[in-house]
Amino acid sequence: MPVTPPASAASLTPAQPRRRRKDARPAELLAAALEVFSVHGYAAARMEDIARGAGVSKGTVFLYYESKEALFRAVIEAAVLPHLDAGEALLRDDAPADRLMRELFEGTQRVLLDPLLSAIPRLVDAEAGNFPEVAAYYHEHVTRRVHALFGAVYARGLREGCFRAADVGVLCQLALAPLLYAGNWRRLPGVWEEACFDPETYCRTHVDMFMRGLSCAPEKQG
Amino acid sequence: MPVTPPASAASLTPAQPRRRRKDARPAELLAAALEVFSVHGYAAARMEDIARGAGVSKGTVFLYYESKEALFRAVIEAAVLPHLDAGEALLRDDAPADRLMRELFEGTQRVLLDPLLSAIPRLVDAEAGNFPEVAAYYHEHVTRRVHALFGAVYARGLREGCFRAADVGVLCQLALAPLLYAGNWRRLPGVWEEACFDPETYCRTHVDMFMRGLSCAPEKQG
DNA sequence: TCAGAAAATGACCAACGGGTCATTATTGGC
DNA sequence: GCCAATAATGACCCGTTGGTCATTTTCTGA
């Protein structure tokens, strides 16, 4: 594999003397790990680089996470679960369903256009063959929750009579796929720039087309 | 990484005596490599497994491809380019644009729902951080061609007055993303089955919604 | 101030896997 | 049949890297 310079530390003033910071380490390690994993993938990520990124030595990483795989799992959980909680909070809002759906899109897009966070599904997917249990966990605790969230909003729209009937699973995938993919393209140097459309236009077009396809009301466009 | 049994050979009758088959080797190696790469990703794929999958010893692989990276590139080219040729042949058909667009979808879907072929974009993407030149090549020779193909059909539809105006790059991505993602989900055991919708419904729904969103004509649904 | 607890280090180990090459097996021409 | 020519082998080499642990440094509180 081509040599790549080690991941530049997130918050590393050089020659920092060693410090005991038991509480701060886990979060710093998770952040550094996500950065390295997102660039190199799981297998090609070096624990040495992750450690350097967090400003510690390699040995220290293993004081907090018992193995590379354990670190990988922890990264996924820490990066994803808070956003799911935030998403589910939306359901307590009793706005009309189409408005709720657009808010759901907006939140999802905020998460998935982040180049670090968008790496998570890509990583899980890429390693599904090597870590079937991680993929199963992800499906169980993330995908399922996302679908439930989307499904709840969709069901509300059906009751209100503003959405047309369709397979909710299919719709959910169709809603998410373009956002998941956008995250990937953004990080490729040259690709996104050449296509030269901004994320805003892309997401807005997607949401508009999707909502138009979903809607029962006769269309009125501007 | 968890131990996984070696890739079962595609066409390996056991204890096959060694044979000199200079012409057949490359294709067999490419097929075996794609299979192993698609399951394990690039970094975790072992040349030993690829060799076994093709019914040869590890050393033989290096007689045909000078390195793992060269094999990786060859796999990508061999898997993708023929389908691009086929796609571009569509343009010689002078059917109306919306019909052409649906044919384009159909061809794309045939390719991307294949669990092996759908691995290609995922692999390129996952390794973009480690092999920027491969990613650049892919973008240059694959993505660009796909966009040109889609763009040609779309432009025809604009001229015929049956498509509404929008950013062609955005539209192309939106058209492809759900198909690219479908390929990923299919290979995850349990995930696809639980969602229990078949690829047909998924793709048909996507195409219908997309075409409805793209169309200028007043909608008529059944 | 100092002693003991515990956080951090980095030299070290062992396994793994990409890549090599001297050797062996196969084949086609004569 | 026999003999180059060459396809194929697999034991071997060695750089890389996940993971360990004896040692060093930092911190706390008495």
Side-chain angles (χ1 to χ4, degrees), chain B residues 152-198:
Chain B
V153 175
Y154 176 65
R156 204 183 283 192
L158 278 182
R159 277 199 306 276
E160 295 176 6
C162 65
F163 292 160
R164 72 175 79 218
D167 182 315
V168 57
V170 166
L171 283 182
C172 183
Q173 309 279 34
L174 289 177
L176 292 179
L179 299 181
L180 285 160
Y181 246 88
N184 283 348
W185 290 321
R186 288 199 78 186
R187 77 201 177 94
L188 304 181
V191 174
W192 188 268
E193 290 79 357
E194 181 190 310
C196 74
F197 51 82
D198 67 332

Side-chain angles (χ1 to χ4, degrees), chain B residues 106-170:
Chain B
E106 196 142 332
T108 309
Q109 147 183 3
R110 240 193 329 274
V111 171
L112 288 180
L113 288 189
D114 179 297
L116 285 180
L117 292 179
S118 76
I120 299 285
R122 183 176 69 243
L123 282 168
V124 173
D125 212 46
E127 298 298 335
N130 300 318
F131 300 100
E133 337 77 56
V134 173
Y137 169 89
Y138 187 84
H139 175 245
E140 184 79 25
H141 293 82
V142 180
T143 307
R144 194 195 294 277
R145 274 177 78 180
V146 170
H147 278 224
L149 176 52
F150 181 92
V153 175
Y154 176 65
R156 204 183 283 192
L158 278 182
R159 277 199 306 276
E160 295 176 6
C162 65
F163 292 160
R164 72 175 79 218
D167 182 315
V168 57
V170 166

Side-chain angles (χ1 to χ4, degrees), chain A residues 41-179:
Chain A
Y42 175 81
R46 281 172 291 170
M47 295 300 272
E48 180 72 45
D49 286 348
I50 293 171
R52 231 183 277 286
V56 297
S57 71
K58 191 173 67 167
T60 299
V61 183
F62 289 93
L63 296 179
Y64 293 90
Y65 300 97
E66 71 172 2
S67 68
K68 191 182 185 182
E69 182 179 342
L71 176 60
F72 184 52
R73 287 172 184 254
V75 165
I76 292 169
E77 292 191 21
V80 168
L81 299 187
H83 296 285
L84 283 178
D85 294 338
E88 282 161 357
L90 268 184
L91 288 181
R92 287 193 286 278
D93 188 336
D94 59 356
D98 60 343
R99 176 157 170 62
L100 220 53
M101 184 67 85
R102 282 182 184 271
E103 274 171 27
L104 189 52
F105 269 114
E106 196 142 332
T108 309
Q109 148 183 1
R110 241 194 327 276
V111 171
L112 288 180
L113 288 188
D114 179 296
L116 284 180
L117 291 179
S118 75
I120 299 285
R122 184 177 66 244
L123 282 168
V124 173
D125 213 46
E127 299 296 335
N130 299 318
F131 300 101
E133 337 78 55
V134 173
Y137 170 89
Y138 187 86
H139 176 245
E140 185 79 24
H141 293 83
V142 180
T143 307
R144 195 194 295 277
R145 272 176 79 181
V146 170
H147 277 225
L149 176 53
F150 181 94
V153 176
Y154 175 67
R156 205 184 281 192
L158 278 182
R159 277 199 306 276
E160 295 175 6
C162 65
F163 294 160
R164 72 174 78 216
D167 182 314
V168 57
V170 165
L171 283 182
C172 183
Q173 310 279 34
L174 288 177
L176 292 178
L179 300 180

